[in-house]
Amino acid sequence: MTASSTSRSSISSHLAADIAAFIEAEALPAGAHLRTGELARRFAVSRWPVEQALKQLAEAGRVRHEPNRGFFVHDASSAAQPVAQDPIHAAYLKLASLLASRAIGPRVTEQELRDRFALTKRQAADLMGRMIREGIAEKRAGYGWDINTELTAPDALAHTTQLRLILEPGALRLPGYRLPPEDIARLRRVEHDLLDGGIDRAPPDTLYLRGAQFHETLMTGAGNPFMLQTLVRVNRLRRLLTYQAMEDRERYYRQARQHLRILDLLETGDCEGAAREMENHLRQVRDSLSALGFILPPDGPERS
């Protein structure tokens, strides 16, 4: 097997875990069509590793393949084998914790990654390839990788929250904002599933993805692809910065109820009310992270 094919195989391996988490986060029903093009755009890869990842999920019983039609979510009631933990995905989550505590970076080497996470040379390169695709790291001209400085700055998470407070309520206030009723219904099902026990059952990474996809879906109603791309990138960075905070399950109950209130307002066409509720929601998210020590307290009063 060539180095290129080995790399693509590794990419598809961790993609399988990400796609499985995506299916859970979106609460996709049995029979939902998993389009390779849409998944490739979401995960910023080509179609080939997505197809390989879906084949792995089909072998594990998570999805089913229909010749000449594609891949579909399997009946959740059927027996399904768990997807094996991919060492690259496991290292990614461990690296998230180290980045959040600034115990690693801003420069990392292949040997450092191999020693810390028990990776092979190829696995270390694939791990950092994922970081590069997500805009978190850059390959150095000589040796190793540079972690983006916004991840290592003490106020990085505060800056992402500040941006979201400007971006997300602003999107809801744009003229012509509209979220299709079927999207509202789907998001409402996800939030009710969380409140009905999903928060206690789901792994931390899945909980984060469910929240991120709620906000990204709301952003699609603005019809501005640049605003959506900005939020997607911010959410990828926040996934690393807040990974240690994902174990705080209680705040997910508060957030799910707030999400439902926003959906109720959007359903009635009250976009201004939804924008104000979003502002309150994001401020409470910020305050929760501050109480957990993930956002440093401001030096002075908050500027309006």
Side-chain angles (χ1 to χ4, degrees), residues 128-195:
M128 295 313 296
R130 175 177 182 176
M131 293 289 185
I132 290 170
R133 287 192 304 276
E134 295 187 355
I136 296 165
E138 295 179 356
K139 186 75 173 73
R140 296 185 65 196
Y143 180 69
W145 298 268
D146 286 327
I147 303 295
N148 284 351
T149 54
E150 62 255 38
L151 284 175
T152 57
D155 52 2
L157 190 54
H159 284 165
T160 66
T161 306
Q162 185 180 61
L163 174 60
R164 293 181 68 202
L165 272 164
I166 297 169
L167 185 68
E168 296 191 54
L172 296 175
R173 290 188 170 106
L174 285 176
Y177 179 92
R178 181 182 180 276
L179 193 65
E182 58 269 24
D183 286 348
I184 293 176
R186 176 173 54 81
L187 291 175
R188 185 175 279 121
R189 286 196 301 271
V190 171
E191 299 304 325
H192 282 301
D193 178 68
L194 287 170
L195 291 172

Side-chain angles (χ1 to χ4, degrees), residues 34-167:
L34 298 166
R35 294 177 172 83
T36 56
E38 292 178 3
L39 292 172
R41 285 190 295 274
R42 170 171 287 275
F43 294 106
V45 296
S46 67
R47 290 172 178 263
W48 190 91
V50 170
E51 291 172 355
Q52 301 308 304
L54 289 171
K55 289 178 181 178
Q56 291 182 30
L57 291 174
E59 292 173 359
R62 298 291 186 91
V63 306
R64 72 174 190 273
H65 179 242
E66 296 184 10
N68 302 319
R69 293 195 64 214
F71 294 88
F72 300 83
V73 176
H74 209 297
D75 184 351
S77 64
S78 63
Q81 297 298 319
V83 179
Q85 177 70 296
D86 173 57
I88 298 173
H89 185 68
Y92 176 90
L93 298 180
K94 291 176 184 177
L95 181 57
S97 177
L98 292 173
L99 288 171
S101 62
R102 290 180 286 281
I104 194 171
R107 293 182 176 178
V108 295
T109 66
E110 175 194 301
Q111 195 59 53
E112 181 180 12
L113 295 172
R114 293 180 65 182
D115 291 344
R116 279 184 180 268
F117 307 123
L119 299 175
T120 66
K121 181 182 180 74
R122 173 53 57 188
Q123 288 170 339
D126 288 339
L127 169 64
M128 295 313 296
R130 175 177 182 176
M131 293 289 185
I132 290 170
R133 287 192 304 276
E134 295 187 355
I136 296 165
E138 295 179 356
K139 186 75 173 73
R140 296 185 65 196
Y143 180 69
W145 298 268
D146 286 327
I147 303 295
N148 284 351
T149 54
E150 62 255 38
L151 284 175
T152 57
D155 52 2
L157 190 54
H159 284 165
T160 66
T161 306
Q162 185 180 61
L163 174 60
R164 293 181 68 202
L165 272 164
I166 297 169
L167 185 68

Side-chain angles (χ1 to χ4, degrees), residues 198-204 207 246-253:
I199 290 172
D200 295 320
R201 295 191 306 267
L207 287 177
M246 293 181 193
E247 291 292 353
D248 177 24
R249 305 270 170 160
E250 184 57 35
R251 69 188 182 95
Y252 285 105
Y253 281 97

Side-chain angles (χ1 to χ4, degrees), residues 228-288:
L228 177 59
Q229 290 166 15
T230 299
L231 182 60
V232 168
R233 184 169 187 271
V234 165
N235 281 339
R236 286 173 177 170
L237 297 181
R238 289 179 58 251
R239 183 181 183 181
L240 294 181
L241 291 168
T242 64
Y243 184 70
Q244 290 176 313
M246 293 181 193
E247 291 292 353
D248 177 24
R249 305 270 170 160
E250 184 57 35
R251 69 188 182 95
Y252 285 105
Y253 281 97
R254 296 192 299 272
Q255 291 174 16
R257 296 185 186 100
Q258 291 164 358
H259 286 175
L260 286 171
R261 286 197 291 273
I262 293 171
L263 292 175
D264 289 342
L265 291 165
L266 289 176
E267 192 167 44
T268 64
D270 186 1
C271 291
E272 176 58 35
R276 290 195 298 269
E277 188 68 32
M278 178 65 78
E279 288 170 338
N280 293 333
H281 169 60
L282 292 175
R283 288 193 179 102
Q284 289 185 38
V285 170
R286 177 196 59 193
D287 293 344
S288 295

